[in-house]
PDB file of all heavy atoms in Angstrom:
ATOM      1  N   VAL A  41      17.496  -4.778  13.425  1.00 97.00           N
ATOM      2  CA  VAL A  41      18.057  -3.452  13.172  1.00 97.00           C
ATOM      3  C   VAL A  41      19.370  -3.295  13.932  1.00 97.00           C
ATOM      4  O   VAL A  41      19.430  -3.561  15.136  1.00 97.00           O
ATOM      5  CB  VAL A  41      17.072  -2.344  13.590  1.00 97.00           C
ATOM      6  CG1 VAL A  41      17.696  -0.967  13.378  1.00 97.00           C
ATOM      7  CG2 VAL A  41      15.765  -2.465  12.812  1.00 97.00           C
ATOM      8  N   SER A  42      20.395  -2.863  13.239  1.00 97.00           N
ATOM      9  CA  SER A  42      21.713  -2.666  13.859  1.00 97.00           C
ATOM     10  C   SER A  42      21.897  -1.194  14.227  1.00 97.00           C
ATOM     11  O   SER A  42      21.677  -0.307  13.390  1.00 97.00           O
ATOM     12  CB  SER A  42      22.827  -3.099  12.912  1.00 97.00           C
ATOM     13  OG  SER A  42      22.721  -4.471  12.600  1.00 97.00           O
ATOM     14  N   HIS A  43      22.311  -0.950  15.461  1.00 98.00           N
ATOM     15  CA  HIS A  43      22.543   0.409  15.933  1.00 98.00           C
ATOM     16  C   HIS A  43      24.007   0.787  15.788  1.00 98.00           C
ATOM     17  O   HIS A  43      24.905  -0.013  16.057  1.00 98.00           O
ATOM     18  CB  HIS A  43      22.137   0.531  17.411  1.00 98.00           C
ATOM     19  CG  HIS A  43      22.662   1.773  18.064  1.00 98.00           C
ATOM     20  ND1 HIS A  43      22.128   3.014  17.830  1.00 98.00           N
ATOM     21  CD2 HIS A  43      23.706   1.962  18.934  1.00 98.00           C
ATOM     22  CE1 HIS A  43      22.799   3.918  18.532  1.00 98.00           C
ATOM     23  NE2 HIS A  43      23.755   3.308  19.197  1.00 98.00           N
ATOM     24  N   ILE A  44      24.252   2.016  15.365  1.00 98.00           N
ATOM     25  CA  ILE A  44      25.584   2.610  15.389  1.00 98.00           C
ATOM     26  C   ILE A  44      25.449   3.963  16.082  1.00 98.00           C
ATOM     27  O   ILE A  44      24.611   4.788  15.701  1.00 98.00           O
ATOM     28  CB  ILE A  44      26.173   2.811  13.987  1.00 98.00           C
ATOM     29  CG1 ILE A  44      26.311   1.466  13.258  1.00 98.00           C
ATOM     30  CG2 ILE A  44      27.544   3.491  14.073  1.00 98.00           C
ATOM     31  CD1 ILE A  44      26.828   1.594  11.829  1.00 98.00           C
ATOM     32  N   THR A  45      26.266   4.191  17.092  1.00 98.00           N
ATOM     33  CA  THR A  45      26.205   5.458  17.808  1.00 98.00           C
ATOM     34  C   THR A  45      26.761   6.577  16.944  1.00 98.00           C
ATOM     35  O   THR A  45      27.892   6.507  16.455  1.00 98.00           O
ATOM     36  CB  THR A  45      26.997   5.378  19.125  1.00 98.00           C
ATOM     37  OG1 THR A  45      26.436   4.337  19.938  1.00 98.00           O
ATOM     38  CG2 THR A  45      26.927   6.706  19.885  1.00 98.00           C
ATOM     39  N   ALA A  46      25.961   7.602  16.736  1.00 98.00           N
ATOM     40  CA  ALA A  46      26.368   8.757  15.938  1.00 98.00           C
ATOM     41  C   ALA A  46      25.492   9.941  16.303  1.00 98.00           C
ATOM     42  O   ALA A  46      24.365   9.787  16.788  1.00 98.00           O
ATOM     43  CB  ALA A  46      26.265   8.462  14.443  1.00 98.00           C
ATOM     44  N   ASP A  47      26.015  11.131  16.063  1.00 98.00           N
ATOM     45  CA  ASP A  47      25.317  12.374  16.379  1.00 98.00           C
ATOM     46  C   ASP A  47      25.301  13.215  15.116  1.00 98.00           C
ATOM     47  O   ASP A  47      26.363  13.498  14.534  1.00 98.00           O
ATOM     48  CB  ASP A  47      26.055  13.106  17.500  1.00 98.00           C
ATOM     49  CG  ASP A  47      25.345  14.351  17.995  1.00 98.00           C
ATOM     50  OD1 ASP A  47      24.519  14.904  17.235  1.00 98.00           O
ATOM     51  OD2 ASP A  47      25.629  14.781  19.124  1.00 98.00           O
ATOM     52  N   VAL A  48      24.118  13.637  14.662  1.00 98.00           N
ATOM     53  CA  VAL A  48      24.036  14.380  13.405  1.00 98.00           C
ATOM     54  C   VAL A  48      24.656  15.767  13.498  1.00 98.00           C
ATOM     55  O   VAL A  48      24.840  16.432  12.475  1.00 98.00           O
ATOM     56  CB  VAL A  48      22.573  14.503  12.905  1.00 98.00           C
ATOM     57  CG1 VAL A  48      21.998  13.139  12.566  1.00 98.00           C
ATOM     58  CG2 VAL A  48      21.696  15.258  13.900  1.00 98.00           C
ATOM     59  N   THR A  49      24.997  16.226  14.706  1.00 98.00           N
ATOM     60  CA  THR A  49      25.704  17.494  14.844  1.00 98.00           C
ATOM     61  C   THR A  49      27.216  17.299  14.821  1.00 98.00           C
ATOM     62  O   THR A  49      27.962  18.265  14.948  1.00 98.00           O
ATOM     63  CB  THR A  49      25.302  18.224  16.140  1.00 98.00           C
ATOM     64  OG1 THR A  49      25.752  17.481  17.275  1.00 98.00           O
ATOM     65  CG2 THR A  49      23.798  18.419  16.223  1.00 98.00           C
ATOM     66  N   ASP A  50      27.673  16.075  14.662  1.00 98.00           N
ATOM     67  CA  ASP A  50      29.095  15.742  14.671  1.00 98.00           C
ATOM     68  C   ASP A  50      29.440  14.983  13.392  1.00 98.00           C
ATOM     69  O   ASP A  50      29.173  13.790  13.280  1.00 98.00           O
ATOM     70  CB  ASP A  50      29.424  14.899  15.904  1.00 98.00           C
ATOM     71  CG  ASP A  50      30.887  14.487  15.982  1.00 98.00           C
ATOM     72  OD1 ASP A  50      31.661  14.795  15.050  1.00 98.00           O
ATOM     73  OD2 ASP A  50      31.252  13.836  16.975  1.00 98.00           O
ATOM     74  N   GLU A  51      30.026  15.681  12.409  1.00 97.00           N
ATOM     75  CA  GLU A  51      30.266  15.031  11.122  1.00 97.00           C
ATOM     76  C   GLU A  51      31.284  13.906  11.212  1.00 97.00           C
ATOM     77  O   GLU A  51      31.237  12.951  10.423  1.00 97.00           O
ATOM     78  CB  GLU A  51      30.695  16.047  10.071  1.00 97.00           C
ATOM     79  CG  GLU A  51      31.981  16.778  10.333  1.00 97.00           C
ATOM     80  CD  GLU A  51      32.249  17.841   9.281  1.00 97.00           C
ATOM     81  OE1 GLU A  51      31.716  18.955   9.418  1.00 97.00           O
ATOM     82  OE2 GLU A  51      32.973  17.540   8.321  1.00 97.00           O
ATOM     83  N   ASN A  52      32.198  13.975  12.175  1.00 98.00           N
ATOM     84  CA  ASN A  52      33.178  12.893  12.322  1.00 98.00           C
ATOM     85  C   ASN A  52      32.502  11.590  12.735  1.00 98.00           C
ATOM     86  O   ASN A  52      32.855  10.503  12.255  1.00 98.00           O
ATOM     87  CB  ASN A  52      34.256  13.275  13.339  1.00 98.00           C
ATOM     88  CG  ASN A  52      35.177  14.360  12.826  1.00 98.00           C
ATOM     89  OD1 ASN A  52      35.464  14.427  11.633  1.00 98.00           O
ATOM     90  ND2 ASN A  52      35.636  15.230  13.713  1.00 98.00           N
ATOM     91  N   SER A  53      31.512  11.692  13.638  1.00 98.00           N
ATOM     92  CA  SER A  53      30.800  10.480  14.055  1.00 98.00           C
ATOM     93  C   SER A  53      29.955   9.930  12.920  1.00 98.00           C
ATOM     94  O   SER A  53      29.812   8.718  12.766  1.00 98.00           O
ATOM     95  CB  SER A  53      29.934  10.758  15.293  1.00 98.00           C
ATOM     96  OG  SER A  53      28.772  11.506  14.974  1.00 98.00           O
ATOM     97  N   LEU A  54      29.418  10.811  12.091  1.00 98.00           N
ATOM     98  CA  LEU A  54      28.643  10.363  10.929  1.00 98.00           C
ATOM     99  C   LEU A  54      29.543   9.686   9.896  1.00 98.00           C
ATOM    100  O   LEU A  54      29.188   8.647   9.331  1.00 98.00           O
ATOM    101  CB  LEU A  54      27.920  11.549  10.282  1.00 98.00           C
ATOM    102  CG  LEU A  54      26.708  12.094  11.034  1.00 98.00           C
ATOM    103  CD1 LEU A  54      26.248  13.411  10.420  1.00 98.00           C
ATOM    104  CD2 LEU A  54      25.559  11.089  11.041  1.00 98.00           C
ATOM    105  N   LYS A  55      30.705  10.269   9.674  1.00 98.00           N
ATOM    106  CA  LYS A  55      31.645   9.651   8.725  1.00 98.00           C
ATOM    107  C   LYS A  55      32.028   8.249   9.179  1.00 98.00           C
ATOM    108  O   LYS A  55      32.041   7.304   8.385  1.00 98.00           O
ATOM    109  CB  LYS A  55      32.902  10.510   8.569  1.00 98.00           C
ATOM    110  CG  LYS A  55      33.901   9.944   7.557  1.00 98.00           C
ATOM    111  CD  LYS A  55      35.133  10.800   7.437  1.00 98.00           C
ATOM    112  CE  LYS A  55      36.046  10.268   6.329  1.00 98.00           C
ATOM    113  NZ  LYS A  55      36.396   8.847   6.465  1.00 98.00           N
ATOM    114  N   ALA A  56      32.334   8.121  10.477  1.00 98.00           N
ATOM    115  CA  ALA A  56      32.712   6.813  11.013  1.00 98.00           C
ATOM    116  C   ALA A  56      31.567   5.819  10.857  1.00 98.00           C
ATOM    117  O   ALA A  56      31.789   4.637  10.549  1.00 98.00           O
ATOM    118  CB  ALA A  56      33.108   6.941  12.482  1.00 98.00           C
ATOM    119  N   ALA A  57      30.335   6.284  11.048  1.00 98.00           N
ATOM    120  CA  ALA A  57      29.170   5.401  10.935  1.00 98.00           C
ATOM    121  C   ALA A  57      28.985   4.909   9.506  1.00 98.00           C
ATOM    122  O   ALA A  57      28.786   3.712   9.267  1.00 98.00           O
ATOM    123  CB  ALA A  57      27.909   6.134  11.409  1.00 98.00           C
ATOM    124  N   PHE A  58      29.062   5.814   8.531  1.00 98.00           N
ATOM    125  CA  PHE A  58      28.876   5.393   7.137  1.00 98.00           C
ATOM    126  C   PHE A  58      30.048   4.548   6.658  1.00 98.00           C
ATOM    127  O   PHE A  58      29.858   3.614   5.865  1.00 98.00           O
ATOM    128  CB  PHE A  58      28.670   6.616   6.238  1.00 98.00           C
ATOM    129  CG  PHE A  58      27.263   7.150   6.276  1.00 98.00           C
ATOM    130  CD1 PHE A  58      26.956   8.288   7.003  1.00 98.00           C
ATOM    131  CD2 PHE A  58      26.240   6.494   5.607  1.00 98.00           C
ATOM    132  CE1 PHE A  58      25.653   8.778   7.048  1.00 98.00           C
ATOM    133  CE2 PHE A  58      24.936   6.964   5.646  1.00 98.00           C
ATOM    134  CZ  PHE A  58      24.645   8.116   6.368  1.00 98.00           C
ATOM    135  N   ASP A  59      31.240   4.854   7.149  1.00 98.00           N
ATOM    136  CA  ASP A  59      32.397   3.998   6.831  1.00 98.00           C
ATOM    137  C   ASP A  59      32.134   2.565   7.294  1.00 98.00           C
ATOM    138  O   ASP A  59      32.418   1.596   6.575  1.00 98.00           O
ATOM    139  CB  ASP A  59      33.660   4.527   7.519  1.00 98.00           C
ATOM    140  CG  ASP A  59      34.214   5.792   6.878  1.00 98.00           C
ATOM    141  OD1 ASP A  59      33.765   6.146   5.767  1.00 98.00           O
ATOM    142  OD2 ASP A  59      35.107   6.423   7.492  1.00 98.00           O
ATOM    143  N   LYS A  60      31.583   2.441   8.505  1.00 98.00           N
ATOM    144  CA  LYS A  60      31.329   1.115   9.075  1.00 98.00           C
ATOM    145  C   LYS A  60      30.245   0.379   8.297  1.00 98.00           C
ATOM    146  O   LYS A  60      30.373  -0.837   8.037  1.00 98.00           O
ATOM    147  CB  LYS A  60      30.920   1.249  10.541  1.00 98.00           C
ATOM    148  CG  LYS A  60      30.736  -0.081  11.253  1.00 98.00           C
ATOM    149  CD  LYS A  60      30.475   0.115  12.735  1.00 98.00           C
ATOM    150  CE  LYS A  60      30.325  -1.227  13.449  1.00 98.00           C
ATOM    151  NZ  LYS A  60      30.061  -1.039  14.909  1.00 98.00           N
ATOM    152  N   VAL A  61      29.189   1.081   7.925  1.00 98.00           N
ATOM    153  CA  VAL A  61      28.115   0.449   7.162  1.00 98.00           C
ATOM    154  C   VAL A  61      28.662  -0.095   5.846  1.00 98.00           C
ATOM    155  O   VAL A  61      28.394  -1.251   5.468  1.00 98.00           O
ATOM    156  CB  VAL A  61      26.968   1.449   6.888  1.00 98.00           C
ATOM    157  CG1 VAL A  61      25.968   0.861   5.886  1.00 98.00           C
ATOM    158  CG2 VAL A  61      26.258   1.809   8.185  1.00 98.00           C
ATOM    159  N   TYR A  62      29.430   0.723   5.141  1.00 98.00           N
ATOM    160  CA  TYR A  62      29.941   0.291   3.847  1.00 98.00           C
ATOM    161  C   TYR A  62      30.968  -0.832   4.005  1.00 98.00           C
ATOM    162  O   TYR A  62      31.021  -1.758   3.183  1.00 98.00           O
ATOM    163  CB  TYR A  62      30.559   1.467   3.095  1.00 98.00           C
ATOM    164  CG  TYR A  62      30.731   1.180   1.623  1.00 98.00           C
ATOM    165  CD1 TYR A  62      29.651   1.282   0.749  1.00 98.00           C
ATOM    166  CD2 TYR A  62      31.967   0.795   1.108  1.00 98.00           C
ATOM    167  CE1 TYR A  62      29.797   0.997  -0.606  1.00 98.00           C
ATOM    168  CE2 TYR A  62      32.128   0.509  -0.240  1.00 98.00           C
ATOM    169  CZ  TYR A  62      31.039   0.618  -1.092  1.00 98.00           C
ATOM    170  OH  TYR A  62      31.174   0.321  -2.431  1.00 98.00           O
ATOM    171  N   GLU A  63      31.758  -0.757   5.057  1.00 98.00           N
ATOM    172  CA  GLU A  63      32.730  -1.823   5.321  1.00 98.00           C
ATOM    173  C   GLU A  63      32.009  -3.150   5.570  1.00 98.00           C
ATOM    174  O   GLU A  63      32.439  -4.208   5.108  1.00 98.00           O
ATOM    175  CB  GLU A  63      33.593  -1.460   6.529  1.00 98.00           C
ATOM    176  CG  GLU A  63      34.624  -2.512   6.907  1.00 98.00           C
ATOM    177  CD  GLU A  63      35.412  -2.143   8.148  1.00 98.00           C
ATOM    178  OE1 GLU A  63      35.395  -0.957   8.547  1.00 98.00           O
ATOM    179  OE2 GLU A  63      36.033  -3.043   8.736  1.00 98.00           O
ATOM    180  N   ASN A  64      30.889  -3.074   6.305  1.00 98.00           N
ATOM    181  CA  ASN A  64      30.134  -4.294   6.633  1.00 98.00           C
ATOM    182  C   ASN A  64      29.353  -4.843   5.438  1.00 98.00           C
ATOM    183  O   ASN A  64      29.265  -6.067   5.252  1.00 98.00           O
ATOM    184  CB  ASN A  64      29.149  -4.016   7.768  1.00 98.00           C
ATOM    185  CG  ASN A  64      29.827  -3.797   9.101  1.00 98.00           C
ATOM    186  OD1 ASN A  64      31.024  -4.023   9.255  1.00 98.00           O
ATOM    187  ND2 ASN A  64      29.069  -3.338  10.078  1.00 98.00           N
ATOM    188  N   GLU A  65      28.747  -3.954   4.652  1.00 98.00           N
ATOM    189  CA  GLU A  65      27.781  -4.384   3.638  1.00 98.00           C
ATOM    190  C   GLU A  65      28.265  -4.231   2.199  1.00 98.00           C
ATOM    191  O   GLU A  65      27.728  -4.875   1.299  1.00 98.00           O
ATOM    192  CB  GLU A  65      26.469  -3.604   3.807  1.00 98.00           C
ATOM    193  CG  GLU A  65      25.880  -3.656   5.216  1.00 98.00           C
ATOM    194  CD  GLU A  65      25.525  -5.063   5.665  1.00 98.00           C
ATOM    195  OE1 GLU A  65      25.258  -5.919   4.791  1.00 98.00           O
ATOM    196  OE2 GLU A  65      25.521  -5.312   6.887  1.00 98.00           O
ATOM    197  N   GLY A  66      29.227  -3.339   1.975  1.00 98.00           N
ATOM    198  CA  GLY A  66      29.730  -3.143   0.623  1.00 98.00           C
ATOM    199  C   GLY A  66      28.790  -2.404  -0.300  1.00 98.00           C
ATOM    200  O   GLY A  66      29.005  -2.358  -1.515  1.00 98.00           O
ATOM    201  N   ARG A  67      27.739  -1.791   0.259  1.00 98.00           N
ATOM    202  CA  ARG A  67      26.792  -1.024  -0.540  1.00 98.00           C
ATOM    203  C   ARG A  67      25.931  -0.149   0.368  1.00 98.00           C
ATOM    204  O   ARG A  67      25.853  -0.367   1.583  1.00 98.00           O
ATOM    205  CB  ARG A  67      25.895  -1.931  -1.379  1.00 98.00           C
ATOM    206  CG  ARG A  67      24.975  -2.844  -0.571  1.00 98.00           C
ATOM    207  CD  ARG A  67      24.119  -3.742  -1.452  1.00 98.00           C
ATOM    208  NE  ARG A  67      23.221  -2.975  -2.303  1.00 98.00           N
ATOM    209  CZ  ARG A  67      23.276  -2.970  -3.638  1.00 98.00           C
ATOM    210  NH1 ARG A  67      24.202  -3.680  -4.245  1.00 98.00           N
ATOM    211  NH2 ARG A  67      22.406  -2.262  -4.348  1.00 98.00           N
TER     212      ARG A  67
END
Side-chain angles (χ1 to χ4, degrees):
V41 178
S42 299
H43 165 75
I44 299 177
T45 300
D47 185 338
V48 296
T49 67
D50 179 357
E51 62 185 84
N52 290 326
S53 74
L54 286 170
K55 182 181 185 306
F58 280 103
D59 287 348
K60 184 174 181 180
V61 170
Y62 197 80
E63 179 183 344
N64 290 350
E65 307 299 334
R67 64 181 298 117

